[in-house]
Amino acid sequence: MKPIGYVMSAINGKTEDRRAFTMLLSLYGARLTDCDPELYFSDPQKYLQGQIAVFDAFTPDIIFSPFALAFETKRFGTTLIFPGKYPPNIKKPSSLSVSEIIKTFPASPSEDPAIKYMVSCVKLLKNHFGDDVPICSPIVSCTDLPAMVLGIEAWIDLLISDPDTASAFLEFTTAHFKAYSDMLFEAGSSFLVVPSGFTNPQLMYPGLIENVCLKALEESFSKLKGPAVLHHGGTRFDFLFEKPFSLPNMAGVLIDSKDSFSKARSSVPTGTLLIGNFQGPMLNARDPDFIINSIQKILENRKDDPHFIFCTSGADVPWDTPYENLKIVSDFFTKAHR
């Protein structure tokens, strides 16, 4: 069966000879092709070569377009860096005010060079893999983008001290989200993954989550032209799962390694995909026995849940992760373990 078959079986709740699986190996393609990350995350052809190498080595059921969320902030005046063997990151927030950003930039990022790079990567991946392998494209949530552009403290302060300006910025980032998501789907993305850390009370006051963040997420997801997966964004989703939770066009939730599968399943609508829970950023420090035991534990936990896809949780699998560690994961699934 082709990768799309395993993913569709998970979506439809059908049992196959093995579970659908993937790993976040956006960065790792640069290692496999011995490409400097700064070049890799600027040249779509280099990115394509890296993801072809990822698929040839590990045959995941889902391929990712660039997990380079910082690129979305660049046109708003943030300063980016390439910290060694890592994806681009934000070194300094924008010095522009919210009113300057709204007046200066169109909501659509269609002419932005960094966005063009990411859309071009999707087109190349789609042309290469066709309909056989689903392509997942990361995109920043409308509630996280303001914090990335302004800085976390500045954004929270704005929400508290000037809710009208904060509301105007959320309208702007929601329009950006719609325009960019349209571009990704048109380029060939099968679905989007939307990191949203500002649904966690460790980052945001619960009242603001309920009254501002979740409402903005609901509005932005309602505008999507295809399915999306809500990603934990490096924080736990347990707060969301305290009561029934769903968003328009939400095909699944990708949970943190510390989140509870059973709690998530009892909260989201029937048929919603549960994805993740194997900590990807620590794969460079795990031994084979730990990896195998962790996979077995997760699969045992989800043995009666057909709407499940095994995936690494968290950020990109690190550059220095031993190749053999990833082969352990790949071989476990491709040798028909269920």
Side-chain angles (χ1 to χ4, degrees), residues 151-171:
I152 293 175
E153 291 185 6
W155 173 232
I156 293 176
D157 180 67
L158 190 69
L159 282 164
I160 296 171
S161 63
D162 191 351
D164 290 340
T165 299
S167 178
F169 201 20
L170 280 172
E171 288 181 11

Side-chain angles (χ1 to χ4, degrees), residues 68-80 90-115 118 139-151 168-180 183:
L69 301 177
F71 275 160
E72 280 193 63
T73 72
K74 189 176 181 181
R75 73 185 183 116
F76 303 125
T78 62
T79 302
L80 304 188
I90 298 172
K91 180 180 180 180
K92 185 179 179 181
S94 176
S95 60
L96 300 175
S97 68
V98 169
S99 60
E100 289 173 325
I101 290 172
I102 293 175
K103 290 178 182 178
T104 304
F105 302 100
S108 173
S110 59
E111 297 305 314
D112 181 70
I115 298 294
M118 291 189 281
I139 179 173
V140 181
S141 70
C142 66
T143 52
D144 281 23
L145 186 58
M148 293 175 68
V149 172
L150 302 177
F169 201 20
L170 280 172
E171 288 181 11
F172 177 85
T173 58
T174 297
H176 163 94
F177 181 86
K178 181 185 185 307
Y180 183 31
M183 294 168 64

Side-chain angles (χ1 to χ4, degrees), residues 100-330:
E100 289 173 325
I101 290 172
I102 293 175
K103 290 178 182 178
T104 304
F105 302 100
S108 173
S110 59
E111 297 305 314
D112 181 70
I115 298 294
K116 284 184 175 180
Y117 156 77
M118 291 189 281
V119 172
S120 294
C121 288
V122 174
K123 290 180 179 178
L124 291 175
L125 291 170
K126 180 65 175 179
N127 288 339
H128 180 82
F129 291 105
D131 295 328
D132 293 345
V133 186
I135 299 165
C136 175
S137 293
I139 179 173
V140 181
S141 70
C142 66
T143 52
D144 281 23
L145 186 58
M148 293 175 68
V149 172
L150 302 177
I152 293 175
E153 291 185 6
W155 173 232
I156 293 176
D157 180 67
L158 190 69
L159 282 164
I160 296 171
S161 63
D162 191 351
D164 290 340
T165 299
S167 178
F169 201 20
L170 280 172
E171 288 181 11
F172 177 85
T173 58
T174 297
H176 163 94
F177 181 86
K178 181 185 185 307
Y180 183 31
S181 65
D182 286 351
M183 294 168 64
L184 291 171
F185 280 125
E186 290 167 6
S189 297
S190 307
F191 63 98
L192 309 182
V193 61
V194 188
S196 184
F198 282 82
T199 54
N200 186 291
Q202 291 182 345
L203 292 179
M204 183 68 74
Y205 297 112
L208 289 174
I209 294 174
E210 293 282 355
N211 299 321
V212 178
C213 294
L214 290 182
K215 289 182 179 179
L217 283 175
E218 184 173 8
E219 171 68 14
S220 63
F221 270 57
S222 71
K223 299 178 183 299
L224 289 171
K225 292 183 177 180
V229 168
L230 190 68
H231 185 292
H232 62 90
T235 63
R236 297 177 67 176
F237 267 158
D238 268 358
F239 177 78
L240 287 185
F241 300 148
E242 293 291 343
K243 56 186 178 181
F245 170 75
S246 66
L247 294 171
N249 297 304
M250 187 180 80
V253 288
L254 200 161
I255 68 174
D256 183 72
S257 60
K258 295 181 181 179
D259 276 318
S260 164
F261 275 118
S262 59
K263 195 172 182 181
R265 175 54 70 211
S266 66
S267 174
V268 299
T270 301
T272 303
L273 287 170
L274 296 187
I275 308 171
N277 207 33
F278 184 72
Q279 193 179 51
M282 292 300 293
L283 260 170
N284 59 347
R286 301 306 190 191
D287 60 51
D289 286 342
F290 180 92
I291 294 170
I292 292 173
N293 289 338
S294 296
I295 296 171
Q296 291 174 331
K297 185 176 180 180
I298 291 170
L299 293 184
E300 175 64 21
N301 182 286
R302 292 294 92 201
K303 66 181 180 180
D304 297 321
D305 185 354
H307 300 285
F308 166 69
I309 295 177
F310 179 93
C311 181
T312 53
S313 295
D316 250 314
V317 169
W319 176 287
D320 62 348
T321 300
Y323 179 91
E324 294 75 18
N325 284 7
L326 300 178
K327 283 297 289 182
I328 290 170
V329 179
S330 174

